[in-house]
Amino acid sequence: MSAVTIAEVVGTATEVVGTARDRVDGRLKAMGAATYPIDVTLPGLAHAVLVQSTVTNGRIRHIAVDAAEEAPGVLAVITHVNAPALARGPTTAPGRPSPLPPLQSDVVLHYGQHVAMVVAETREQAQAATALIEVTYQPDTPVLAYDDPRASRVSHPWTPDHVRGDVRRALAAADVQVNATYTTAENTNNPIGLFATVALWDGDALTVHDTTQWPQHVRDSLAAAFGVDSGGVRVLAPFVGGAFGAGLRVWPHVPLAALGARVTKRPVKLVLTRAQMFTSVGHRPTSIQQLSLGASRDGQLTAIEHVSTSSIGMSDEMINLITTGTIDAYACPNISTRASQVRQSIPTPGWMRAPGEAEGSFTLESVIDELSYAVGIDPIDLRVKNHAHVHPESGLPWSSNALLDCYRQGAERFGWSARNPKPRSMRNGGQLVGYGMARAALFAYQPPCKAIASIRRDGTVFVSSSATDIGTGTYTVMTMLAAECLGVPIERVQSGLGDSAMPMAPMQGGSGLTGALGNAVQAACVDLVRTFLNRVSGDEVSPIRGCRLEDITVRDGGIQITDDPARFETYADILTRHGLNEITIEAESAPPGETASATMVPRGGRFVPFTTPSTGGRAHAGAFAAHFVEVHVDPDLGTIRVARVVSAVDGGRILNPKTARSQIIGGIVGGIGMALLEKTVSDRTGRVVTTSLADYVVAANADVRDIDVLFVGQPDSMTPIGTKGVGELAMLGMPAAIANAVYHATGTRVRSLPISIEKVLGHESSKSEPSRTGISQ
Ligand code: MOS
């Protein structure tokens, strides 16, 4: 990988925030000292292993468990016959994260559904006993196709049909029309850490270690499932071995682990196998999308119609935002989007890194590329021409938008000007060379979040919240925010996450946690400094008595009068003199509100007034990016190599360029996988046949060459810390940028992910290709 410049960070780079920092938990992880859920062990621990349905649809006629119950070490065998009623988890702001609770009837809705659980003294004994369980099914014909007449179609209430202007009329009147159908494959999250749950009951109190992105929701779901008080349920996930969205729902194995512990009165550990991960913790469902563009001959967009259909389980509700990003993507007066889901006998889908948005942006950004050839305009120029200078739906100015800088600076860094626009015109030795690009944008999302901050008498600081760090760097940036706001060396700040007993926090999802948690941490720390000032306001001995936030500078673990460096006092001295062990403040951050609100924010040790604009006056922008990709395609073999990537990113204020860059690289690598490699395959009967990382191929080191990330833009004006989420951003547009580069290299437009060798060589059977494709002019 080439050296990456991170000096482009614009804004309020001060000593801590805005500087590239190592992860505060990096050493712990490198030493193997970070405890992931799978590492948890407890005295008297028993082990649970699951039996999963081998049929796709039907009923369990009989389930023979006698031999398993008699097997060595077995403590319990639980099936739908003897399982107690388990209630479904609550509905939350992002929908209903809990699928149907397990073992509640003889009905089988999908392959891999849990039908029995063995709890034994050892995992090996439990595993051996599962082989003795005989399940007799009465199979039914599964629904596996979108056009199956038995497949019911649903629309999620949160993705209603969206209309702006009159798209039909605009399409009919357009000089140029592009109509195309795109499809995306099923993808499965494959974090290296296998999902694990360890449960321990003490009366009606339950402690659970779980692979989750949302401890408090797991707590609430388990409390609901077992009908116990959520105050007695504690969920711990201080480290999560990757999740990418798979940890956003409370999957059926979680209450099963708790059930095993309740039945056996032992702590129980349940670890999914890699094969079980393909059916038990969600997947990115397949999609079919029709997209029509209308434009003037000079490339001005006049109409966009985007219709998506994706698959969903037989009894599930899950929002899938395939068409959402299209609405605000370009300055186009006529828009129509529709999203529906077709029920199929498939394992329950879940959210997977940029869920829906990744699929939708693949289609939109590919079709924009198709339009660029139809009108003979450079893909960047076409996007610049249709840039949304204001929010297209509301007409409001953006809270921040440096997308044009992303295009400009990214193109320059990439060397886009060397591109010959003609497909199949560039070569490197025997390889066809293609340059492709795409735009990316993710919605702004900031759910409410609380955090506490304490300063202790020994001069250390503790900040915490119940959110998780799924490897994104949350511990690190919250530590940095606290250190800077309090003027305390970063080494003296400890941070706590991943404990449902800590302050209220949302899921680590939707790229929204840094904004939600960061603003809460900062608010708590500002309030903490103010509390210290109040504490000494009448303190005759204090050199800083009678000062306001405006008058001070924080440094070296204390407070100084800005104009008089001699007037300085440490927090520890104040606490000691006042006989206090610590001062703790809790604060809550809220999504930007209807009305503007004033606050104080830290800037380089000082505190300055800051006004959050109202949502009525400004459109809250998410992050933007432009990806530039060079591919090398072997003309004979059809192999595709992503030779290099340049991504220019407007992530607002970048708190830590090192971890933010890692986030972007992660998204790019995920995008390479989605574009070229990843596909969960099921057979004709609905059995998932990709069960390992040998069958399901993710991008590995050999697939990832040269990635260059540059940050452009300014702090976003909408929140005090000025960030925009970068967790999912880079997934968006990457598959399209690659597909566009493949088209430029080969002249073959692949409208179906993943872009396999067969598709590039044109050998893919026409059946799997969408029927209604092509450019009409
Ligand atoms: Mo992400 S799919 O919101 O973890």
Side-chain angles (χ1 to χ4, degrees):
M1 234 175 260
S2 71
V4 169
T5 313
I6 46 179
E8 288 84 355
V9 182
V10 180
T12 54
T14 54
E15 259 178 38
V16 185
V17 175
T19 60
R21 298 278 173 155
D22 292 344
R23 288 165 195 273
V24 295
D25 51 342
R27 185 180 162 82
L28 210 56
K29 286 182 171 177
M31 303 281 286
T35 305
Y36 295 86
I38 199 172
D39 301 323
V40 172
T41 186
L42 295 168
L45 188 66
H47 298 265
V49 172
L50 299 170
V51 178
Q52 299 188 305
S53 169
T54 55
V55 303
T56 307
N57 191 14
R59 284 178 182 274
I60 299 168
R61 238 191 350 228
H62 183 69
I63 185 157
V65 299
D66 293 358
E69 282 176 340
E70 298 301 313
V74 169
L75 300 166
V77 178
I78 303 172
T79 70
H80 72 280
V81 176
N82 61 352
L86 297 168
R88 196 171 182 178
T91 298
T92 67
R96 196 199 270 275
S98 308
L100 287 179
L103 306 184
Q104 297 300 293
S105 81
D106 60 355
V107 175
V108 173
L109 293 177
H110 66 83
Y111 174 77
Q113 180 177 316
H114 310 321
V115 295
M117 176 174 66
V118 176
V119 186
E121 293 290 346
T122 69
R123 182 171 166 87
E124 291 73 18
Q125 288 172 329
Q127 183 71 51
T130 60
L132 304 174
I133 294 177
E134 278 183 42
V135 190
T136 318
Y137 298 95
Q138 182 183 314
D140 222 333
T141 315
V143 177
L144 294 168
Y146 281 88
D147 55 5
D148 188 317
R150 295 167 306 148
S152 59
R153 190 174 281 265
V154 292
S155 285
H156 196 279
W158 297 356
T159 49
D161 293 357
H162 190 90
V163 176
R164 178 162 83 230
D166 185 342
V167 85
R168 285 279 125 194
R169 204 165 63 184
L171 277 173
D175 296 341
V176 183
Q177 249 197 60
V178 183
N179 303 297
T181 300
Y182 280 73
T183 62
T184 59
E186 179 175 328
N187 292 169
T188 304
N189 275 319
N190 268 290
I192 292 302
L194 297 169
F195 272 41
T197 308
V198 179
L200 169 67
W201 288 90
D202 177 6
D204 270 352
L206 171 65
T207 303
V208 167
H209 303 260
D210 189 37
T211 309
T212 178
Q213 293 170 251
W214 197 358
Q216 290 194 334
H217 184 66
V218 176
R219 175 196 67 191
D220 297 344
S221 290
L222 288 171
F226 292 93
V228 297
D229 178 13
S230 72
V233 181
R234 187 173 182 196
V235 176
L236 298 161
F239 296 98
V240 182
F244 313 109
L248 292 171
R249 307 189 78 184
V250 186
W251 300 105
H253 70 273
V254 178
L256 280 181
L259 179 60
R262 198 150 173 97
V263 168
T264 61
K265 299 185 168 35
R266 296 268 295 269
V268 163
K269 180 174 192 171
L270 191 163
V271 181
L272 295 178
T273 64
R274 181 58 66 184
Q276 289 172 341
M277 293 283 285
F278 282 87
T279 54
S280 310
V281 293
H283 61 266
R284 185 193 301 283
T286 57
S287 77
I288 303 176
Q289 303 170 51
Q290 279 95 29
L291 202 137
S292 300
L293 293 183
S296 65
R297 203 152 288 286
D298 65 354
Q300 199 72 53
L301 284 170
T302 54
I304 306 175
E305 183 180 49
H306 191 177
V307 180
S308 83
T309 308
S310 56
S311 48
I312 190 169
M314 276 299 181
S315 180
D316 192 30
E317 330 157 19
M318 194 192 77
I319 188 169
N320 198 6
L321 301 171
I322 294 179
T323 57
T324 311
T326 301
I327 298 169
D328 298 333
Y330 291 100
C332 178
N334 302 291
I335 298 267
S336 168
T337 64
R338 293 197 300 283
S340 61
Q341 296 166 308
V342 168
R343 293 205 180 282
Q344 298 179 24
S345 311
I346 54 170
T348 312
W351 290 307
M352 180 167 178
R353 204 163 196 168
E357 304 259 342
E359 297 95 296
S361 78
F362 165 61
T363 301
L364 177 63
E365 289 300 305
S366 292
V367 180
I368 292 285
D369 199 67
E370 295 197 45
L371 178 65
S372 78
Y373 290 95
V375 295
I377 297 178
D378 175 86
I380 302 175
D381 296 341
L382 182 65
R383 285 172 173 83
V384 170
K385 188 179 197 102
N386 290 288
H387 177 67
H389 292 277
V390 294
H391 185 249
E393 193 68 19
S394 63
L396 294 171
W398 296 99
S399 58
S400 61
N401 187 335
L403 181 56
L404 292 175
D405 290 327
C406 293
Y407 293 142
R408 204 173 300 130
Q409 294 189 39
E412 192 180 318
R413 177 74 68 88
F414 182 82
W416 184 261
S417 58
R419 179 181 187 262
N420 180 336
K422 199 167 138 37
R424 269 190 111 85
S425 64
M426 292 172 68
R427 290 207 173 231
N428 178 356
Q431 302 276 302
L432 298 167
V433 171
Y435 285 7
M437 59 85 55
R439 162 198 176 280
L442 191 71
F443 54 81
Y445 174 60
Q446 194 196 314
C449 184
K450 288 183 179 174
I452 58 170
S454 311
I455 298 182
R456 299 148 167 170
R457 198 193 276 213
D458 64 1
T460 60
V461 169
F462 182 65
V463 283
S464 70
S465 180
S466 66
T468 57
D469 183 341
I470 55 174
T472 45
T474 311
Y475 279 111
T476 307
V477 294
M478 72 194 283
T479 302
M480 292 167 70
L481 283 165
E484 175 162 327
C485 186
L486 298 170
V488 170
I490 200 164
E491 300 73 25
R492 310 218 75 192
V493 179
Q494 293 154 7
S495 51
L497 289 172
D499 180 347
S500 66
M502 289 174 176
M504 181 276 287
M507 58 172 170
Q508 177 153 35
S511 302
L513 189 67
T514 297
L517 174 64
N519 279 298
V521 165
Q522 182 167 290
C525 291
V526 171
D527 211 19
L528 197 47
V529 175
R530 193 183 279 122
T531 303
F532 271 88
L533 290 178
N534 291 342
R535 188 85 211 171
V536 299
S537 62
D539 182 345
E540 293 294 306
V541 191
S542 173
I544 58 164
R545 68 184 174 278
C547 281
R548 301 164 308 152
L549 272 180
E550 291 86 326
D551 308 326
I552 62 155
T553 299
V554 289
R555 64 162 173 92
D556 303 317
I559 299 170
Q560 175 209 308
I561 307 295
T562 301
D563 297 336
D564 186 355
R567 290 175 66 190
F568 171 81
E569 180 166 40
T570 64
Y571 303 115
D573 284 346
I574 296 170
L575 290 170
T576 306
R577 198 168 61 250
H578 289 249
L580 298 169
N581 283 327
E582 63 173 56
I583 295 180
T584 297
I585 294 291
E586 181 176 83
E588 177 165 3
S589 68
E594 279 300 303
T595 53
S597 66
T599 178
M600 297 289 283
V601 297
R603 288 287 181 265
R606 302 210 53 189
F607 293 86
V608 298
F610 180 87
T611 303
T612 309
S614 74
T615 49
R618 229 170 272 191
H620 190 188
F624 298 96
H627 298 300
F628 300 84
V629 169
E630 176 178 337
V631 297
H632 295 170
V633 182
D634 186 301
D636 301 317
L637 301 176
T639 51
I640 304 165
R641 174 73 67 195
V642 176
R644 63 193 181 98
V645 178
V646 171
S647 292
V649 173
D650 167 17
R653 185 168 176 230
I654 300 298
L655 302 179
N656 181 346
K658 188 169 185 177
T659 50
R661 173 178 168 266
S662 289
Q663 289 266 68
I664 299 298
I665 290 173
I668 288 169
V669 172
I672 293 172
M674 184 179 178
L676 301 177
L677 303 166
E678 296 188 43
K679 183 176 185 178
T680 307
V681 179
S682 300
D683 69 13
R684 283 177 305 162
T685 68
R687 292 180 170 92
V688 177
V689 298
T690 40
T691 56
S692 74
L693 291 171
D695 311 313
Y696 183 90
V697 185
V698 299
N701 289 19
D703 305 297
V704 179
R705 296 285 174 97
D706 185 350
I707 295 180
D708 195 355
V709 179
L710 61 149
F711 292 111
V712 304
Q714 299 289 331
D716 187 75
S717 62
M718 215 71 194
T719 73
I721 66 165
T723 57
K724 308 199 274 192
V726 294
E728 295 164 293
L729 176 70
M731 273 301 286
L732 297 163
M734 263 315 286
I738 293 169
N740 297 342
V742 168
Y743 177 76
H744 180 237
T746 64
T748 301
R749 176 68 63 182
V750 180
R751 299 187 180 87
S752 159
L753 294 183
I755 303 167
S756 59
I757 290 170
E758 307 89 283
K759 292 172 190 169
V760 172
L761 294 177
H763 296 162
E764 178 88 348
S765 84
S766 58
K767 256 199 255 164
S768 64
E769 276 289 308
S771 52
R772 199 170 65 84
T773 62
I775 294 177
S776 63
Q777 246 180 281

